[in-house]
Amino acid sequence: MSRIAQVMADLKASNRKALVPYIVAGDPTPSHTVALMHGLVEAGADIIELGVPFSDPMAEGPSIARGHERALEYRVGLRHVLDMVTEFRTNDSKTPVVLMGYANPIERMGYDVFSERAYVAGIDGVLTVDLPPEESGALAETLQDRGIDTIFLVSPTTSDQRAKEIVKNASGYIYYVSLKGVTGAANLDVDEVSERINLLRSYTDLPLCVGFGIKDAESAKAVSSAADGAVVGSVLVNACGELAHAPVSELVSQVSAIIGDMRSALG
Amino acid sequence: MINKDLSLKAIASAPDALGRFGPYGGRFVSETLIAALDELRDTYEKLSNDAAFWAEFDQDLAHYVGRPSPLYHAKRWSDEVGGAQIYLKREDLNHTGAHKVNNTIGQALLAKHMGKPRIIAETGAGQHGVASATVAARLGLECHVFMGAEDIKRQALNVYRMKLLGANVVSVESGSKTLKDAMNEAMRDWVTNVDNTYYIIGTAAGPHPYPKLVRDFQSVIGREARRQSLEQIGRLPDALVACVGGGSNAIGLFHPFIEDEGVEMYGVEAGGDGLETGRHAAPLSDGIPGVLHGNRTYLMEDEDGQIIETHSVSAGLDYPGVGPEHSWLKDVGRAKYVAINDDEAMAGFRKLTRIEGIMPALESAHAIAYAEKLAKTMTPDQNIVVNLSGRGDKDILTVAAMDGISVEGQS
């Protein structure tokens, strides 16, 4: 059983929700990332989504886009992100790590080389924002050969028919985008999310995680009531920006505390 | 050298149903936009098979834009060069001063048919922004134009022009603050306001169906040029020359000639400080295929796959990607792509202004400069059609600044 499947099964057995923090690798500097990943796990994170910095992060709102820019000031690229995960794995062999990013850095490295290096580094899943199912076949195949999950997005604009097709091709978990907009937007409608999650539930047995627009313990709890987990990004990346010049230990403890609060609320 | 496995007819009939031109094109966008692209694709498919839609388009082009644009024999220039005869396709005479309006007229009609009250657009030099604001004013649509903060500084005149037309110009402060970042921001707006908003992409790039529909709207340039060549020269030209940023004016000229085997095609990229310096905007000449802004195409990027900053004297060519059909035409050998650097383009600008009394846009000046090089290798009984894609009024302050002259406060 994959690390993602194991964690989700364990959570389900104890009737708990997955808490999935998203941070940008290399934000605010490369020396923060591994320490922050461990801090998030200690605070109660179940899976870590690690953003791969890209020059043109089209789906991100201003908070996360600035996180990408901060990391790019240190020229953090996909190969460095893989090294960070390798380092993380020396002290944590259990927590799943999912890379979230854009197609071009993977295209540049090559699908095969990337999949092999991701496997060696201990990556569990890959979510490529601009590779919808139509364009992701070749990469999904090379990832699957190494037992790495391809995570797909389903959005409020995805038709029911299309959602059925997407969940068929997906593995790991489904990432439900809670709103029409970029990451960190403010127009979250919890009832609508619940309704859609219940519909998706009738199409698939895969775990359903909800992200975009979750700002605090309260909204995390609300959106995950129907779902299996909540993805939290902008609020953490914002904090990384605000604490960029603080000592590393202080940034780690303060950002992790946000996740700690959500963990308490989610149970 | 044409790829012998592919007929010219097959090349001309791209893209396929998934929007692919060979390995290029496609739909590389976040899931939230897929439904909007499906809606656009289906609407366009239906309307493009409807003669009434094209009649409406032609009517607007004739009476609002002022088409057909002339094909002008630049005889004095041709004589001076002493090689091929050079003809200029006068897109600079269109309403709003460039070829961009052909596309915005077409897409505004789509927005109208789809019942979208709000349009958004990205712009680099401001020409597409002006053309979008123009059609929005005419149709009474709300219009927001995204423009990089750097470009806003470089193109103050066009910014004011858009404001006069009633558009809201949004200054984009992220990334390199130029055209590519404006396109990112427009995508972000679209994903947020997808229900009531139509995104008018300004060039033949982006996710399917944009490269196809922009090409179809701009192909009026090539259809006219082909007919005018037969009427005025008595045969098809030997070569076509057009500048390529995203490549909409070039694909508009080229596409109707793809099946005419004897007609050579030259796309001219912005060589900036020179290809050898790396400071340029010439992905077809010196880039590699990758994925950006919804399509797979040639890009300028670094070893990590990050998109790199481009350099060109002309804001309209200052883009790190190119329309996917050009990538395809390059690979199959149907078109050739070359680069003209800033200095050569400036010389072309001055040459055409002094010898023909026509001031080209700095973008078009790249095509002018290459046409002169090419004409010298040809004979006086041969003919070249150059797409004069826009007029140079918008660039006068830039040229004056290079000459060290301040023209502010003068009229």
Side-chain angles (χ1 to χ4, degrees), chain B residues 49-244:
Chain B
N49 287 307
D50 181 351
F53 175 76
W54 291 113
E56 196 178 0
F57 179 64
D58 290 344
Q59 178 86 2
D60 281 355
L61 291 184
H63 299 286
Y64 189 68
V65 175
R67 302 202 73 94
S69 67
L71 182 69
Y72 167 71
H73 183 194
K75 189 156 188 323
R76 189 154 176 261
W77 182 32
S78 305
D79 288 347
E80 198 217 61
V81 173
Q85 303 304 310
I86 306 172
Y87 288 78
L88 302 175
K89 181 60 177 162
R90 299 290 308 274
E91 293 300 300
D92 59 317
L93 295 178
N94 291 341
H95 180 43
T96 72
H99 74 289
K100 291 288 185 189
V101 73
N102 303 325
N103 169 46
T104 57
I105 289 277
Q107 291 202 54
L109 282 179
L110 293 178
K112 195 178 84 173
H113 280 275
M114 292 167 80
K116 306 277 188 189
R118 179 177 182 273
I119 65 173
I120 57 171
E122 85 294 338
T123 198
Q127 288 305 101
H128 174 59
V130 167
S132 297
T134 298
V135 295
R138 178 169 175 251
L139 295 175
L141 302 171
E142 182 187 332
C143 179
H144 302 267
V145 179
F146 295 88
M147 190 167 183
E150 281 300 317
D151 290 335
I152 284 181
K153 272 191 254 165
R154 287 197 280 191
Q155 302 285 338
L157 208 57
N158 271 341
V159 173
Y160 187 55
R161 204 172 274 166
M162 287 182 267
K163 288 180 179 166
L164 285 175
L165 287 161
N168 172 37
V169 180
V170 183
S171 176
V172 176
E173 307 285 345
S174 58
S176 61
K177 304 181 175 67
T178 59
L179 177 57
K180 78 175 178 72
D181 309 285
M183 202 154 175
N184 293 338
E185 209 56 39
M187 290 273 187
R188 290 175 184 133
D189 180 289
W190 197 28
V191 87
T192 306
N193 300 293
V194 65
D195 293 330
N196 72 344
T197 298
Y198 185 99
Y199 178 17
I200 303 188
I201 292 185
T203 193
H208 179 63
Y210 282 103
K212 174 181 161 67
L213 66 86
V214 175
R215 175 200 71 197
D216 290 353
F217 293 138
Q218 292 293 2
S219 289
V220 65
I221 302 171
R223 283 197 306 274
E224 284 178 8
R226 198 172 181 284
R227 192 183 69 231
Q228 290 164 324
S229 296
L230 292 174
E231 285 167 8
Q232 294 172 226
I233 311 171
R235 59 190 178 84
L236 294 178
D238 299 283
L240 308 174
V241 178
C243 65
V244 176

Side-chain angles (χ1 to χ4, degrees), chain A residues 178-179 187-194 223:
Chain A
S178 59
L179 48 82
N187 49 333
L188 186 62
D189 180 339
V190 173
D191 290 342
E192 201 179 296
V193 170
S194 301
V223 296

Side-chain angles (χ1 to χ4, degrees), chain A residues 53-61 65 69 72 75-80 103-105 107-108 111 129-135 153-159 162 166 177 179-182 187, chain B residues 18 20 25-35 38 173-175 180-181 183-184 187-189 191-195 288-294 296 299 301-308:
Chain A
F54 184 47
S55 52
D56 295 81
M58 284 188 306
E60 315 300 346
E69 286 179 17
L72 287 173
R75 303 188 60 86
V76 175
L78 182 53
R79 57 205 160 108
H80 309 105
N104 205 51
E107 293 257 330
R108 182 67 192 226
Y111 289 173
V129 178
D130 53 354
L131 283 187
E134 298 86 326
E135 305 289 0
L153 300 170
V154 172
S155 90
T157 58
T158 306
S159 70
R162 183 176 167 83
I166 292 175
V177 176
L179 48 82
K180 291 173 197 161
V182 292
N187 49 333
Chain B
L18 292 172
R20 299 210 173 111
R27 251 185 359 176
F28 295 83
V29 295
S30 169
E31 177 62 26
T32 309
L33 288 178
I34 292 286
D38 279 349
E173 307 285 345
S174 58
K180 78 175 178 72
D181 309 285
M183 202 154 175
N184 293 338
M187 290 273 187
R188 290 175 184 133
D189 180 289
V191 87
T192 306
N193 300 293
V194 65
D195 293 330
I288 69 162
V291 171
L292 179 70
H293 291 151
R296 181 178 277 123
L299 298 175
E301 57 177 65
D302 68 13
E303 70 280 6
D304 283 324
Q306 311 293 0
I307 307 307
I308 58 178

